[in-house]
Amino acid sequence: MITQAPRGVQDWYGENMHRRAVVEKIARDLARTYNITEIITPVFEHTVLFQRGVGETTDVVQKEMYTFEDKGGRSITLKPEGTAGVMRAYLEHNLYANPQPVKFYYVTPAFRYEKPQSGRLRQHHQFGVEFVGAQSPLAEVEVISLVAALIKKLGLKDAKLHINSIGCKDCRKTYNDALLKYLSEHESELCETCRDRMKTNPLRVIDCKVDSCKKIVKDAPRTIDYLDEDCRNHFEELQALLTELKIPFEIDTGIVRGLDYYTKTVFEFVNSEGFTLCGGGRYDGLIHEIDEKQDIPSVGFGMGIERILYFLDKEGVDLPSMDVPELYVGILGKDAKARAYRLVNEIRSHGIIVETDYLDRSVKAQMKYANKIGAKKTVIIGSDELANNRANVKDMQSGEQTEVALDEIPGLFA
């Protein structure tokens, strides 16, 4: 057991780490063009933050959180998602006093106790954006367009935008009454969890994955038919903006998202098999849930890095390969070590990847190693090279060799 990681987590190294780093860099660079700055929040928070922010009735809070008591007797939870922590930081540091809106992105680990499966682990990583302080549907369009641009830059083709509106707390009350009336007629056919959800949060039943419940929910009332005038106008403007931007979308009344803090717009990017790549929406009441003195609108999304990599594999999308050394500096003899390593450092100072020998291998073994790691060029430094202050730089692909003064070798790469 000591040499085996716990179930539902993974180590990142080699090609997998490189692919993850490429995805994260593309996401970070894109966020910068939207003038969205990075935020890092703690890996753990007070449990009450997620109970109030995410919602007591959600599966996340009820079944999936890693919660423990620290040595001070405080209930602490490893973050199951990124949004609540960002909102806590926004409030704690009085960021509402800054020019609005405030836009943050994060790349963070998240922890959920659930059955590990492809693209979903107990410790996974999320790229997310929080757009705080704007009521306009243009805020939703901003984050949706960023996701659409990211999907395009990554080379994914099988991902379509699905949108819905679940209304505000006012029209939700009317909808919940209608939904509860419908569900009551089929209560005996619902799973035990959904029978409990009927009493606490009927909307959660729409999101149930149990086949018998899905069959009943198919004919249930939809939130979109119970929107008040403000929510309806908001949703219509969102559609008009997306159409103007030529971002194709489909209205999907089955989307309600799994967290209680959503209001009005909810959206997902879904592939042709129904798997969700990314989800988000508007949560105008979240900050008020955390701090009742504040009432500030917000929009955002979360996208699992592992889920992105899974989709890239599924579609056979190639990411840029790992960089290989531009030069391998071979060392022949103890006397050449210092001069050879000085050359390595000089070239590295120009931002060039250089590798050398640390195992006192033979020249033949060093060249074999240089070939394995894909070094583009090689040079051997030994007593003759030190005496003549010259060495042969070899192109590993063409086999061509060029004699160069030792002091001039860095200039070949700078």
Side-chain angles (χ1 to χ4, degrees), residues 185-284:
E185 297 170 359
H186 303 274
E187 185 172 358
S188 61
E189 303 165 62
L190 294 172
C191 70
E192 185 178 348
T193 300
C194 283
R195 287 199 293 271
D196 290 336
R197 285 169 172 164
M198 284 178 58
K199 303 168 188 173
T200 55
N201 190 346
L203 190 62
R204 294 273 65 77
V205 179
I206 301 293
D207 206 31
C208 185
K209 302 299 186 289
V210 176
D211 287 339
S212 59
C213 294
K214 287 166 70 174
K215 186 177 178 180
I216 294 167
V217 162
K218 188 177 178 183
D219 297 320
R222 296 304 188 187
T223 56
I224 200 171
D225 297 322
Y226 291 81
L227 301 180
D228 61 22
E229 184 178 4
D230 177 62
C231 292
R232 186 170 57 254
N233 290 341
H234 188 100
F235 193 49
E236 288 174 355
E237 186 178 352
L238 170 65
Q239 294 174 65
L241 289 166
L242 292 172
T243 301
E244 180 67 25
L245 285 171
K246 294 183 170 55
I247 298 176
F249 64 88
E250 174 183 319
I251 296 177
D252 184 347
T253 58
I255 299 176
V256 295
R257 301 298 298 149
L259 308 178
D260 281 356
Y261 52 58
Y262 285 103
T263 55
K264 293 185 178 176
T265 307
V266 287
F267 68 85
E268 293 178 352
F269 280 81
V270 182
N271 79 348
S272 57
E273 296 178 9
F275 291 104
T276 302
L277 173 65
C278 165
R282 175 170 286 280
Y283 22 93
D284 290 346

Side-chain angles (χ1 to χ4, degrees), residues 122-412:
R122 289 175 176 172
Q123 178 183 327
H124 62 281
H125 300 81
Q126 291 184 356
F127 167 64
V129 168
E130 310 299 340
F131 187 129
V132 187
Q135 291 183 332
S136 168
L138 196 57
E140 284 103 302
V141 171
E142 169 110 332
V143 297
I144 288 172
S145 68
L146 188 152
V147 177
L150 177 57
I151 287 171
K152 185 176 180 180
K153 282 182 177 290
L154 290 170
L156 290 169
K157 293 182 172 58
D158 186 15
K160 185 174 182 181
L161 172 63
H162 289 209
I163 63 172
N164 189 26
S165 176
I166 59 173
C168 62
K169 63 180 180 180
D170 295 328
C171 49
R172 185 88 57 80
K173 186 179 296 185
T174 306
Y175 170 72
N176 278 347
D177 290 343
L179 178 61
L180 196 55
K181 180 181 178 182
Y182 172 83
L183 293 176
S184 297
E185 297 170 359
H186 303 274
E187 185 172 358
S188 61
E189 303 165 62
L190 294 172
C191 70
E192 185 178 348
T193 300
C194 283
R195 287 199 293 271
D196 290 336
R197 285 169 172 164
M198 284 178 58
K199 303 168 188 173
T200 55
N201 190 346
L203 190 62
R204 294 273 65 77
V205 179
I206 301 293
D207 206 31
C208 185
K209 302 299 186 289
V210 176
D211 287 339
S212 59
C213 294
K214 287 166 70 174
K215 186 177 178 180
I216 294 167
V217 162
K218 188 177 178 183
D219 297 320
R222 296 304 188 187
T223 56
I224 200 171
D225 297 322
Y226 291 81
L227 301 180
D228 61 22
E229 184 178 4
D230 177 62
C231 292
R232 186 170 57 254
N233 290 341
H234 188 100
F235 193 49
E236 288 174 355
E237 186 178 352
L238 170 65
Q239 294 174 65
L241 289 166
L242 292 172
T243 301
E244 180 67 25
L245 285 171
K246 294 183 170 55
I247 298 176
F249 64 88
E250 174 183 319
I251 296 177
D252 184 347
T253 58
I255 299 176
V256 295
R257 301 298 298 149
L259 308 178
D260 281 356
Y261 52 58
Y262 285 103
T263 55
K264 293 185 178 176
T265 307
V266 287
F267 68 85
E268 293 178 352
F269 280 81
V270 182
N271 79 348
S272 57
E273 296 178 9
F275 291 104
T276 302
L277 173 65
C278 165
R282 175 170 286 280
Y283 22 93
D284 290 346
L286 176 56
I287 284 180
H288 184 74
E289 284 293 329
I290 298 171
D291 181 353
E292 294 179 354
K293 296 185 296 241
Q294 302 292 340
D295 197 1
I296 302 169
S298 310
V299 176
F301 71 85
M303 174 184 281
I305 302 294
E306 287 85 349
R307 182 61 65 94
I308 294 173
L309 293 171
Y310 172 77
F311 273 66
L312 289 168
D313 280 342
K314 194 172 180 61
E315 290 192 31
V317 178
D318 292 325
L319 294 175
S321 300
M322 291 178 67
D323 292 331
V324 297
E326 294 288 331
L327 177 68
Y328 178 86
V329 178
I331 303 172
L332 180 56
K334 185 177 180 180
D335 293 341
K337 277 187 180 180
R339 181 66 184 91
Y341 199 71
R342 195 177 96 198
L343 177 62
V344 168
N345 273 351
E346 286 174 4
I347 301 174
R348 283 175 175 169
S349 71
H350 296 292
I352 307 298
I353 301 175
V354 184
E355 192 53 278
T356 190
D357 178 55
Y358 306 96
L359 304 180
D360 296 329
R361 287 174 281 210
S362 67
V363 171
K364 182 178 179 181
Q366 289 186 60
M367 290 302 99
K368 187 176 181 180
Y369 174 71
N371 192 52
K372 280 185 176 180
I373 64 174
K376 296 178 182 178
K377 290 182 170 62
T378 60
V379 63
I380 301 293
I381 308 295
S383 56
D384 289 346
E385 286 74 21
L386 292 177
N388 298 322
N389 196 34
R390 302 185 71 79
N392 288 320
V393 178
K394 180 181 179 180
D395 186 300
M396 293 293 281
Q397 188 169 7
S398 67
E400 180 182 347
Q401 297 192 63
T402 305
E403 188 179 57
V404 185
L406 296 184
D407 292 341
E408 294 177 0
I409 291 175
L412 299 177

Side-chain angles (χ1 to χ4, degrees), residues 85-121:
V86 173
M87 297 305 166
R88 189 268 312 148
Y90 177 89
L91 291 166
E92 180 174 350
H93 303 292
N94 302 322
L95 297 181
Y96 45 81
N98 291 356
Q100 302 295 300
V102 172
K103 299 188 288 185
F104 286 124
Y105 78 85
Y106 51 83
V107 178
T108 185
F111 304 85
R112 293 194 188 181
Y113 189 85
E114 55 187 345
K115 184 179 179 181
Q117 52 188 289
S118 297
R120 188 187 294 273
L121 296 170

